Amino acid sequence: MQIFFSGTKPTGEHTHLGNYFGAIKQFVDLQNGENRTNIYFIANYHALTTERDGTKLVTNTWNILREYIAYGIDPKKSIIFIQSDVPEHTELAWIFNCLTPFGLLERAHAYKDALSKGKEASAGLFAYPVLMAADILIYQSTHVPVGKDQKQHVEIARDIAEKFNHYYGETFVLPQAVIMEETATVTGIDGEKMSKSYHNTISPFEDEKSLVKKIMSLKTDSKGIDEPKDLAGNIIYQYLELVGDEHLCKQVKERFLKGGMGYGEAKKLLAQAMLDYFAPMRKKYHMITQTDLENIVKEGAIQAKVIARRTIDTVRNKVGIV
Ligand code: TYM
């Protein structure tokens, strides 16, 4: 039995193109495979490592959940829940904390990044990968669909599973990251990796005016309309490949390479293609009620808890917690 498990941290108002094409699109597509359990959650305890505004965290949690459903994660095919509704995750994280070597966490990118930027790193940020390992391992997950930036975290989860199995006997399955090569790292509007913390995101659910404005402001070189243009590093074309249909991509590619396609025209085509691609999801977003969301996560937490409880009972037994 394959168990697909993954999640998103509700640190911003919306998910962005990187979240969708790197991870969430996979959640939606993978739901249709046979003989598997799909579990997708909102990692609100992880968001606490950076979010200091409680009201915002609540709003963001429901927003991201609404977007999950609007994107097509289907409560009939997947277990969908909020991390804090299954406190077994944090219990397992503590047990893992007690056997995770300090050095393993010191090598984690997020922690190293925070240190190098002179940011104050909390114990929570340091132990972030341990809670993530607990999220994954508590469901005996076999596959974890994520973007490339989470690869190291999944590797740490494997290390922790191996450590536990070594001390207490075979208990945890070793999970593997599932990363889509073409969308492993989606670029942001400034050319860096798209990330909420870099303020360089485009969200499929943001206000139409702001979305179009961001696309029309994408930085390009100064080549004139008739000049041939490169596709490498061409952010307009990169985004078009994500949302445009084959015919449009081919046409734009040919005209970029030959000359005759100005950046302004290409941006307009891209903005329209992006709005078209996300139109059904944007429409669905507004049709989902708060009650729908509450019912989905209530049911999801019940189902998740059954699996999580089973693992925690085994673990408690093995480690000697009565
Ligand atoms: P988060 O919320 O930062 O991102 C959610 C998912 O989106 C992917 N992603 C990207 N993919 C491609 N290009 C980008 N620019 C880009 N930006 C983000 C991320 O790789 C991720 O898959 N730690 C996780 C949340 C988490 C989790 C888990 C995930 C907590 N526990 C257990 C999987 C399993 C995070 O912060 O994701």
Side-chain angles (χ1 to χ4, degrees), residues 186-237:
V186 175
T187 309
I189 54 177
D190 58 356
E192 299 297 319
K193 182 195 116 178
M194 186 174 286
S195 164
K196 284 167 253 188
S197 48
Y198 300 162
H199 306 290
N200 64 358
T201 61
I202 297 185
S203 168
F205 292 98
E206 75 190 77
D207 167 59
E208 180 172 330
K209 251 197 195 152
S210 135
L211 190 151
V212 172
K213 193 169 160 210
K214 282 184 185 172
I215 291 175
M216 296 312 291
S217 321
L218 287 173
K219 285 217 174 64
T220 60
D221 58 35
S222 54
K223 288 198 171 117
I225 296 178
D226 295 330
E227 286 179 75
K229 298 170 185 70
D230 292 331
L231 293 182
N234 182 331
I235 186 81
I236 305 173
Y237 189 70

Side-chain angles (χ1 to χ4, degrees), residues 153-173:
H153 285 152
V154 180
E155 282 162 5
I156 294 175
R158 287 174 70 96
D159 290 344
I160 293 177
E162 278 181 324
K163 262 247 157 348
F164 190 99
N165 291 348
H166 171 73
Y167 286 129
Y168 298 105
E170 264 329 285
T171 310
F172 290 107
V173 171

